[in-house]
Structures are given as C-alpha cells and as structure tokens.
Amino acid sequence: MDSRYNDLAKVLSGYSIEVQPGEKVLIDAFDVPDEMVIAMVRAVRKRKGIPYVQLNSARVTREILMNAESERWDFHKKIELARMKGMQGYVALRGAHNIFESNDVPAGKMAEALGKMRPVQNYRVNETKWVVLRWPTSAMAQQANMSTEAFEDFYFRVCTLNYRKMEKGANVLKALMDKTDQVHIKGPGTDLRFSIKGIDGAICTGKRNIPDGEVFSCPVRDSVEGELQYNVPTVYQGVNFQNVKLVFEKGKIVEATSNNTKRLNQILDSDEGARYIGEFSLGFNPHILEPMLDTLFDEKIAGSFHFTPGQAYEETDNGNRSQVHWDMVCIQRKDYGGGEVWFDGKMIRKNGLFLPKNLQSLNPRSLLKK
C-alpha cells in the first residue's frame, strides 16, 4: 500500500473529524482504490471508532438517475436518513473517472433527486462531524494539465498540508467578518455590494474539506446588488459552464448568462432559493493556484473568492433554502486581472493578497514558510 494513503487517512480520522472511541463513521467511497478505503477503515479502528463503508460507482449512479421513479427517492431517502442518523462521523472519498458522467441526465430528473435527498445532506452537514475530499485520478490530472505522477504528488502535498498553521489567521479573518456590515467587491466585470451584518463567519482549515483554506460568511439575503463576472470555469450537475455572469437586484439573480445560458437558468430556476446567495467566501490555500474544474480545489485557490447561489449553511444561515449549492469562483490575483475586497470602506485584500498586518499570515508567502 502507498504510504501516503495511511498519512492521509491519519489526517482525516485524527485532525479532520477527530474520531472518538465508540463513534460510528460512514466512509462513503466513490470510484476510489480499495487500498484507500482499507487505510481509512484501519485509521478509524486505530482510534477505536466503528467504520461503516459504502462503495459507489458514477456510471451506476447515472443509470439510476436517468429513469428513477419518484417513489424510488422517497424510499431511498428514508433508508439513507435512518443510517445517517446513526453516524457520528462521515468521510466522503470522491473519485471521478469522468466528471461529465451525468452530463446527459435530464435536468428535471437531477433536480428531483437532489430535492428528495436534501434532508439526508442537511442532517449530515448539520449533525455529524464530516469531511469531504476528491481522489486523484488520471481524469483529474488531465483537468489540471499535469501528468498523473506530478498530479498525485501535488494532491498529497496539498491534502497533507499543516492546516493548523492556517488557524490563527483564519480566526482573525472570521472575527473581522463577524463585525463587518458592508462588503464591496471590485474587479473586471464586477462591481458587487452586499451586507453580512449579523451573520457570523466560519473558518475552514481542514475540518470539513480536504484540501481546505477559506473563511466564509453569507450575505443578508436581500442585500446583494450589482454584477459579478466569474473567471473560473465550473462543472455543475455534469455540465461545463464558462464566463458565468450574474446580475443582482435586491438579492435576487435577475440576469444570468454563460456559454450555456439555457442550462444555467434551468438550474437557477430549480426553486426560489437558487436565485439567491447562500455563501460568500475568501480562499487562500497557498498550493492551489490554477483552476482544475473541481470545486473542492477551485474554491480554495489562493487569492480567490466564491459567491454561491443556493442553500445557506447552518452556521452562516441567512434563511435561504434551496436544493442548489453552487460554488462559483473568481480569482483576483494580478495574473487573473486583479481585484479588491472592501469591508466597511476599508480595503482588506488587493490583487489576491491580504493587506492588514494581522491577516498577512494567510498570504502564500507566510503559509509556505517552514
């Protein structure tokens, strides 16, 4: 077995979800090597937890989605929710041999499945200790424009980063978000204003996602005004979207365009909440610099922010409810056109770098210092 599997399993079981004796942990594996699942089982047992395993296949899942009956999801939801309520921990290992596997699933079928299964996800997110990560495949290496070997080295370097080093600066940024009212984001094609008053921030330093490196909050639901031009491609529900531009009035997305404007608007019309924002986040992982069509990596890009149509998280709840949660990313480093983030009239980040002295520990130069 590759020793890096054991190193990663140790991070996930020990640091990310901190398995305690007697806790039940669901290991939800999607197209990943059996050896990694075994490493995870052993790591949970080493901490005297009780591992449970579910193995998934993207191709099989697509077949189920294509023609699933409504009653199928009603019954499946009961099974999965009952199981999830018995778990104290959850680890999702998500491989993808083809990120477009569900590209031809009808939008209505996908929306129905996501809507029916939302209570399971809500319980998992709000009531268990959880962490989600992608698994390095040849397909991911292609997305990153890297050889398979080089990408695997990059992946394990990112995923076994000393995330504790981020915690001090992340807590400072969270405290600043907690007392901020007005946010103003400027950049090419972007002039966006909103309030985060009364909505506490949340830090992400390896406890929920691997890789990690962000602090997020959420706009007051009806406060978003202006326009936002994303510069990172995004894959959602198996469809590739590029050059997404959103226009907001009183919090609502009133205009949405992209290379696939029709499908973009179909997703945003899934329910009322899909046209409102459920998350605002600043990303700062120093190892992740370029997009690779994978949300868990792209949303952590150094010098980026993401602004998310759809469901709000419980800890930063603005009341928005939706079956959609779509992390769309914009990079503000100089090499991507630059940009500024202002909190209550003070610039806190310019061209992807934090300016206040007590936040500079989140800049790549500091995080990579040994």
Side-chain angles (χ1 to χ4, degrees):
M1 183 183 295
D2 190 327
S3 63
R4 297 176 300 184
Y5 292 8
N6 293 321
D7 294 340
L8 180 55
K10 184 178 179 180
V11 170
L12 298 174
S13 62
Y15 176 72
S16 296
I17 64 171
E18 298 182 86
V19 177
Q20 300 300 311
E23 288 186 335
K24 299 180 183 68
V25 178
L26 177 60
I27 302 163
D28 207 3
F30 299 74
D31 292 324
V32 303
D34 290 345
E35 290 81 1
M36 183 60 209
V37 179
I38 290 169
M40 197 67 232
V41 167
R42 290 174 179 171
V44 171
R45 282 184 173 154
K46 188 171 184 178
R47 297 182 64 86
K48 302 188 185 306
I50 305 171
Y52 292 79
V53 173
Q54 174 163 294
L55 303 179
N56 304 275
S57 161
R59 291 188 66 185
V60 173
T61 299
R62 172 194 171 276
E63 183 61 30
I64 292 172
L65 286 166
M66 288 295 287
N67 295 291
E69 304 81 2
S70 292
E71 54 268 30
R72 192 259 180 209
W73 294 119
D74 293 330
F75 184 64
H76 190 59
K77 177 183 68 177
K78 290 179 182 179
I79 296 171
E80 292 299 314
L81 187 57
R83 179 171 64 172
M84 193 63 72
K85 286 184 176 181
M87 300 294 157
Q88 289 75 52
Y90 175 86
V91 178
L93 304 166
R94 296 177 178 170
H97 300 301
N98 177 4
I99 61 172
F100 302 111
E101 194 66 65
S102 59
N103 180 278
D104 54 354
V105 174
K109 289 290 186 181
M110 183 67 77
E112 180 182 38
L114 293 173
K116 295 274 190 177
M117 298 304 292
R118 172 57 70 173
V120 181
Q121 183 175 351
N122 286 347
Y123 187 89
R124 186 262 294 175
V125 168
N126 297 326
E127 303 296 336
T128 73
K129 298 183 293 182
W130 59 272
V131 63
V132 175
L133 69 159
R134 295 290 187 257
W135 184 255
T137 63
S138 297
M140 286 184 73
Q142 287 179 317
Q143 291 163 229
N145 294 310
M146 299 171 72
S147 70
T148 302
E149 183 175 347
F151 180 75
E152 286 180 354
D153 289 342
F154 161 76
Y155 173 89
F156 285 104
R157 186 169 65 250
V158 171
C159 290
T160 57
L161 177 71
N162 180 7
Y163 285 103
R164 283 189 174 88
K165 194 171 182 181
M166 293 179 175
E167 290 180 353
K168 183 177 179 180
N171 277 305
V172 172
L173 180 55
K174 170 188 155 40
L176 179 59
M177 283 185 172
D178 290 350
K179 66 181 184 180
T180 294
D181 178 1
Q182 294 296 316
V183 178
H184 186 193
I185 300 178
K186 298 190 286 186
T190 297
D191 190 354
L192 194 68
R193 296 177 183 270
F194 54 93
S195 171
I196 56 174
K197 185 176 182 179
I199 300 177
D200 289 344
I203 71 169
C204 295
T205 55
K207 295 289 188 179
R208 295 285 182 86
N209 292 158
I210 294 287
D212 219 342
E214 64 172 297
V215 176
F216 69 92
S217 182
C218 191
V220 174
R221 189 174 187 266
D222 299 327
S223 70
V224 187
E225 298 282 347
E227 59 185 15
L228 170 54
Q229 176 69 63
Y230 298 94
N231 59 11
V232 172
T234 174
V235 173
Y236 194 74
Q237 296 182 4
V239 181
N240 187 324
F241 296 89
Q242 299 180 34
N243 301 316
V244 175
K245 184 164 188 177
L246 305 178
V247 178
F248 296 86
E249 292 180 5
K250 297 181 180 178
K252 185 176 182 179
I253 299 169
V254 295
E255 184 179 336
T257 58
S258 73
N259 66 313
N260 193 339
T261 296
K262 180 179 179 180
R263 188 64 184 268
L264 170 64
N265 282 277
Q266 284 178 337
I267 295 172
L268 296 177
D269 288 334
S270 296
D271 51 44
E272 181 186 0
R275 284 191 176 267
Y276 290 83
I277 296 299
E279 181 185 356
F280 157 61
S281 183
L282 297 176
F284 44 80
N285 190 300
H287 286 300
I288 308 175
L289 301 176
E290 306 297 335
M292 49 178 286
L293 290 178
D294 187 287
T295 300
L296 287 183
F297 280 76
D298 292 353
E299 68 179 1
K300 314 303 189 319
I301 290 172
S304 73
F305 72 90
H306 53 276
F307 208 60
T308 306
Q311 177 79 9
Y313 288 119
E314 183 179 45
E315 60 263 62
T316 58
D317 193 3
N318 68 350
N320 199 42
R321 298 291 176 267
S322 176
Q323 67 193 41
V324 172
H325 183 89
W326 190 350
D327 293 313
M328 300 187 195
V329 180
C330 182
I331 303 173
Q332 292 191 303
R333 300 195 313 267
K334 271 187 177 181
D335 50 327
Y336 276 84
E340 301 170 357
V341 179
W342 296 71
F343 284 2
D344 288 333
K346 181 179 179 180
M347 189 190 305
I348 65 131
R349 202 175 72 175
K350 181 178 177 65
N351 296 336
L353 296 175
F354 290 100
L355 302 180
K357 189 173 182 180
N358 60 355
L359 289 178
Q360 290 179 13
S361 65
L362 294 178
N363 288 335
R365 189 173 183 177
S366 295
L367 289 173
L368 293 174
K369 187 183 297 183
K370 293 185 178 179

